[in-house]
Amino acid sequence: MSESTDLAGWNHLYSGKVRDLYERADGPGANALLVVASDRVSAFDHVLSPGIPGKGELLTTLSLWWFDQLSVPNHLLPDHELAGDGTSAEIIPAQFAGRAMLVKKLDMFPVECVVRGYLTGSGWKEYVESQSVCGIPLPAGLSNGDRLPEPLYTPAYKAPMGEHDENISFEQSVELIGEADATALRDLSLAIYAEASALAEKRGIILADTKFEFGRDSVTGLITLADEVLTSDSSRYWDAAVYTTADTPTERMASFDKQIVRDWLAANWDQTGTPPELPDFIVEKTAERYRELLVRLTA
């Protein structure tokens, strides 16, 4: 799944569905990690073929932009080092330029911090059955895609590699990491969501929901925002103008992410055996939505 596990000066640690992780082998930045976003695309727990051209660079660019906007500590490190003569050299290998982040190692919390501002996805399915989302009661009469009375914090337990994450209650997160840290993660997540959604709204974009990951800096002790942040792989973004004028929930919730891939796959595959190849028009439409989101947010 990894594009390269033989990289001079770096040790390959892990390859996920989309990203590859490397550890600096020696020299300056030996405590650094290299997070490489690939063009791979996944749906229904399968990596699909072909990938989405330019996706890794688009995700990395958006993450870096958001890290720069947000008023919380993050895990980014300078991507260059200074020599004695004042010149600088890039640390990120040339083949990963534009789609890799150099970050500090953190003691990661085993909690995925999900914030939901709108009723959609698995939250909508639960609401239909029990008028709640992740066990949190909600008012009657809400429709698919409606804005929630207030954003909900719904954490998940980050399962070991190869297993599925599991939704948990806030109380269970307290049992996992202690009350002080659980409260800090909740409050930070809600604050970041409020800051980011307000910025997105100014650009005609709705941030429907998102997920964050945090770790503790072993040097400063600070809880630090990590991983990717507010990308179209970790968040649902909708077009505000379409949301207010569309006739159906499906139309108003047309998202700037791989939902196009999920919808095509659901209509053309029974989720047994190997997934079919994605047709060119699906690949092109998906890439276009990723690009459009980046332009509209950062312009």
Side-chain angles (χ1 to χ4, degrees):
M1 195 178 295
S2 168
E3 294 174 55
S4 172
T5 56
D6 183 19
L7 189 62
W10 297 90
N11 297 323
H12 177 254
L13 295 180
Y14 165 76
S15 286
K17 293 185 178 73
V18 173
R19 283 171 298 168
D20 303 307
L21 188 65
Y22 297 83
E23 180 180 44
R24 191 75 187 265
D26 49 37
N31 291 320
L33 297 175
L34 187 67
V35 181
V36 182
S38 74
D39 291 345
R40 299 189 295 269
V41 62
S42 67
F44 304 116
D45 285 330
H46 284 75
V47 176
L48 309 174
S49 180
I52 307 298
K55 177 173 175 278
E57 186 169 347
L58 291 167
L59 291 178
T60 300
T61 302
L62 189 54
S63 260
L64 291 172
W65 183 82
W66 273 117
F67 279 127
D68 194 45
Q69 308 305 307
L70 299 171
S71 53
V72 294
N74 66 62
H75 66 161
L76 293 179
L77 289 171
D79 58 8
H80 61 279
E81 55 197 17
L82 293 177
D85 59 2
T87 60
S88 65
E90 295 296 320
I91 299 176
I92 293 176
Q95 68 257 50
F96 295 148
R99 56 192 181 93
M101 298 186 295
L102 191 72
V103 305
K104 67 181 73 172
K105 292 181 182 177
L106 301 172
D107 297 323
M108 297 299 294
F109 291 101
V111 175
E112 189 171 77
C113 301
V114 180
V115 180
R116 305 168 189 261
Y118 289 74
L119 186 59
T120 187
S122 61
W124 166 246
K125 292 178 182 177
E126 181 184 334
Y127 178 82
V128 170
E129 296 174 356
S130 61
Q131 203 176 299
S132 66
V133 171
C134 293
I136 302 171
L138 290 174
L142 297 178
S143 298
N144 192 9
D146 280 357
R147 187 169 192 161
L148 294 168
E150 60 182 24
L152 299 181
Y153 175 69
T154 59
Y157 168 63
K158 285 196 65 62
M161 187 170 56
E163 300 179 22
H164 292 286
D165 294 347
E166 175 189 353
N167 290 335
I168 57 175
S169 66
F170 175 73
E171 290 72 23
Q172 287 173 304
S173 75
V174 170
E175 293 174 7
L176 272 175
I177 61 175
E179 184 171 4
D181 286 339
T183 300
L185 294 191
R186 179 194 64 194
D187 294 350
L188 273 170
S189 298
L190 289 169
I192 296 169
Y193 176 81
E195 184 178 1
S197 59
L199 193 155
E201 284 178 12
K202 292 178 181 177
R203 290 159 169 77
I205 301 292
I206 291 171
L207 175 59
D209 56 38
T210 191
K211 58 185 179 181
F212 305 113
E213 293 191 35
F214 296 91
R216 189 184 304 281
D217 188 319
S218 61
V219 176
T220 66
L222 285 175
I223 293 178
T224 302
L225 182 60
D227 201 62
E228 64 179 335
V229 63
L230 294 160
T231 70
S232 39
D233 265 16
S234 65
S235 315
R236 279 189 179 91
Y237 287 101
W238 302 333
D239 187 315
V242 172
Y243 181 85
T244 56
T245 59
D247 296 326
T248 68
T250 300
E251 290 173 337
R252 73 171 178 163
M253 294 186 294
S255 55
F256 292 94
D257 58 22
K258 61 183 178 183
Q259 192 61 46
I260 296 167
V261 170
R262 292 193 197 98
D263 291 345
W264 182 87
L265 207 57
N268 292 274
W269 182 50
D270 63 2
Q271 297 192 39
T272 61
T274 303
E277 289 254 329
L278 298 175
D280 289 346
F281 78 95
I282 291 294
V283 171
E284 291 164 6
K285 283 177 64 177
T286 303
E288 182 181 336
R289 291 297 275 178
Y290 276 82
R291 287 193 298 269
E292 182 182 352
L293 176 67
L294 179 63
V295 169
R296 289 185 58 175
L297 280 174
T298 64

